[in-house]
Amino acid sequence: MTKPHRHCAVCGTPIPLEERTCSDKCQNTLAESRNKVRKTRMIVYTIFGVFIILWLFYVLFR
């Protein structure tokens, strides 16, 4: 039976339970990916907010 372990979130290499990634390269890749997701999410929320505001102006002041 194998020892308890988890796998690197980026490349899938087996690592100890307390680690998140297997190397600094994978850590940087994971951080970049999270930043891209965060930026994309903020852009979508901003566009959605602007759409709601424009819709409200249209409904209230037509």
Side-chain angles (χ1 to χ4, degrees):
M1 182 165 222
T2 60
K3 291 174 20 179
H5 67 279
R6 64 188 306 170
H7 294 263
C8 177
V10 177
C11 67
T13 302
I15 55 176
L17 289 174
E18 59 275 353
E19 298 290 326
R20 182 91 173 135
T21 58
C22 64
S23 66
D24 289 337
K25 181 181 175 185
C26 285
Q27 182 67 32
N28 291 338
T29 303
L30 184 62
E32 288 173 7
S33 175
R34 286 182 178 172
N35 287 338
K36 285 180 184 179
V37 168
R38 188 176 300 127
K39 282 182 183 179
T40 302
R41 188 175 295 144
M42 289 306 297
I43 290 170
V44 169
Y45 290 157
T46 302
I47 291 172
F48 186 68
V50 168
F51 176 75
I52 294 294
I53 290 169
L54 291 174
W55 178 75
L56 284 173
F57 273 111
Y58 175 74
V59 168
L60 296 175
F61 300 114
R62 60 180 171 154

